[in-house]
Amino acid sequence: KPYYVTNRNETTGKDEQMAVLLVDTQGMFDHETTMALTASIFGMSTLLSSYQIYNVDKRIQEDNLQHLALFSEYGRVAIGKGPAEESVAAPSPTETSDGKSADETTAAADSEDPPKLLEEDEAASPKSKPEEPAIALKPFQRVEFLVRDWQNYEDDEDMDLMMKEMDEYLDSVLLDRTGAKDLQETREHIDETFEKVSCYLMTHPGFDVTKKKYTGQVSTVEPTFLKLLDKYCGRVFGANLAPKKIKNRE
C-alpha cells in the first residue's frame, strides 16, 4: 500500500505530494534461488523503481557490477529500449517550416514563377539551422549501492568526512578500466543505463542486534549506525525522491 510524502519543489517553490511505494525483494544469489528467478526479480525491480537500492555485503565487488549490468538489461528490453531507441534525434535540417522536405519544396518551386534575384532569395528564405546533436536518454533513473557492515571509515564521528569517503569509494570502484575490455564494458553499460549511480556505506548495527533474543530495542543499536540510518532516511525520502519516469515521462 503506498503512502504519501510532501516535498518542496525547488523550481516552483510549492509543496508537492508524491505517492511512494516501498518494495523489498527477497534475497538473491543463494542455493535455492534459480538464475531465472534472480533475473526476474532484478529486472522487475529495475523496471519499477525510480530509486533502486542494491544491498551488498561489506564492499562493492566486480560480480555486483556485472550482475547489475546484466540483469538491468532485462528491464531495458521490457520497455523496448533497443539500440535504435537510445537517443532522440534532432529534426532533420532539410525539413522546411511548412513540413515539406527540401525535395518537395524544390519540385513545387519548379512549377511556379521563376526565381527572383539571388539577393532577394537570400533575404527572404531563412538560413538552414545547423544540425543539433541527438539527446541521449537513459532508460532508468537511480541505482544506489547500499554497502552494509562497512568497516573502513577514517573517523565515524565526522559525518561530512564519511559522506566524502562514500563518494571517493564509488569513484574508485567505477574508475575506467581501459586495460581490461570486459571490466570497462561493464562500467560503460551501467553508465548508459542509469541517470545516477551512487553508494552509501552503512556500518554494522552491533552484535547485540544479531542475537536471536534481540527484540528490537533501539538502545542496543550502535550509535554510529543510528546516525547513518537517520541520514540515509533523509537522503532517500528527501530531495532525492522523484516520481517514476518511463521514456522520460512521469
Side-chain angles (χ1 to χ4, degrees), residues 136-148:
L137 295 178
K138 298 184 180 182
F140 304 117
Q141 289 161 266
R142 182 175 185 137
V143 63
E144 184 159 79
F145 292 95
L146 177 59
V147 183
R148 63 183 187 272

Side-chain angles (χ1 to χ4, degrees), residues 20-21 24 34-35 43 52 66 72 82-83 104 111 135 142 155-156 176 181 192 216 221 227 245-246:
V20 179
L21 187 62
D24 181 25
T34 65
M35 286 301 293
Q52 185 179 20
Q66 291 171 351
S72 62
E104 290 173 334
S111 62
I135 304 171
R142 182 175 185 137
D155 182 4
D156 58 12
D176 286 350
K181 183 179 179 181
E192 293 168 359
V221 180
K227 182 169 64 174
K245 294 188 296 184
I246 297 178

Side-chain angles (χ1 to χ4, degrees), residues 3 19 37 47 72 93 109 131 134 138 150 152 167 173 178-179 186-187 211 225 236 246:
Y3 59 93
L37 181 56
L47 182 64
S72 62
E131 184 175 357
K138 298 184 180 182
W150 180 255
N152 301 317
D167 293 336
V173 171
T178 52
T186 296
R187 284 154 178 77
K211 296 177 180 178
F225 179 87
V236 174
I246 297 178

Side-chain angles (χ1 to χ4, degrees), residues 56-75:
V56 299
D57 184 29
K58 294 184 177 63
R59 61 184 178 182
I60 303 172
Q61 303 192 76
E62 191 61 32
D63 62 338
N64 299 137
L65 297 177
Q66 291 171 351
H67 290 146
L68 177 62
L70 173 62
F71 295 133
S72 62
E73 189 63 25
Y74 285 79

